Amino acid sequence: MKPKLIVLFFLLFACSAAFGQEKQNMTVVEKGLIKVSIMYPYAEGKTFNMEYYETKHMPMVASFLGSNLVKYTIEKGLANGIPNQPLPFMAIGIFYVKSLSDYQAAIGPHISAIRADFANYTNTTPVILVSEVVK
Amino acid sequence: MKPKLIVLFFLLFACSAAFGQEKQNMTVVEKGLIKVSIMYPYAEGKTFNMEYYETKHMPMVASFLGSNLVKYTIEKGLANGIPNQPLPFMAIGIFYVKSLSDYQAAIGPHISAIRADFANYTNTTPVILVSEVVK
């Protein structure tokens, strides 16, 4: 029996290790979720402080959303995909939520605080898109 | 020894089942990847055939990208996040790739075919953003 037990313990260990590793490298699938994308257009003279956005603004907004928030992402605009065209957006913050009405209800009471914080990291006015992930 | 063995088999089974389940519900983390977002602006009279886009256009483009493509997503624009403002984008297709130069090299030879296919699903001209996922 002993060797079999050892093999089993080893398999169990390997399985848990693989499971832990996968959890670290993966995140939830987005299909069916609602995306709220806050997109900051680029224009001459417009600025964006990514460090403040990533460490202060987005965590603050995320903290209002509770369990409705599945995840949030931040991206930095690099270039226009069409050569010789200006950068369309400097940055985009995206909240992936289960329910749009729950998102709106959670943001509502904090909207003034959220808007007042804009001046701390940008002088541009964001475009906000609500969309549904279909694939 | 028998009861211990049974417990171990049970644990092993539970662990593999959980692992399989997680794999199904999860996907790769995006941080550090390059996003190429093809964004279709909304305006009066502009149309977008999501079924064609999802079943024909995006799979065709994805097929050109090989192992550089980590994943692609499609979203359908629902509303402007600011009340009483028009929808900013009807749809967005996003390729998550490891390397922008590999993406450009792979797309280059097919660019005419890709552009010619636009007329099959939309009469709007997309905005294309290249960005880097920072969180």
Side-chain angles (χ1 to χ4, degrees), chain A residues 2-79:
Chain A
K2 273 271 168 72
K4 272 186 193 164
L5 255 181
I6 289 163
V7 165
L8 264 171
F9 270 118
F10 176 77
L11 279 173
L12 195 60
F13 173 77
C15 179
S16 340
F19 188 39
Q21 185 64 30
E22 289 287 318
K23 280 206 102 146
Q24 228 173 26
N25 291 337
M26 292 181 153
T27 180
V28 282
V29 148
E30 298 151 17
K31 187 174 174 176
L33 293 179
I34 296 296
K35 271 179 89 164
V36 181
S37 303
I38 301 98
M39 313 162 97
Y40 296 86
Y42 169 77
E44 218 179 298
K46 297 297 179 188
T47 58
F48 193 90
N49 183 332
M50 183 57 88
E51 206 250 330
Y52 186 93
Y53 190 63
E54 193 177 344
T55 60
K56 307 273 191 218
H57 183 81
M58 285 294 276
M60 175 186 76
V61 180
S63 75
F64 300 145
L65 301 176
S67 63
N68 186 37
L69 179 67
V70 176
K71 69 167 182 174
Y72 72 92
T73 62
I74 299 172
E75 66 199 76
K76 185 189 169 191
L78 298 179

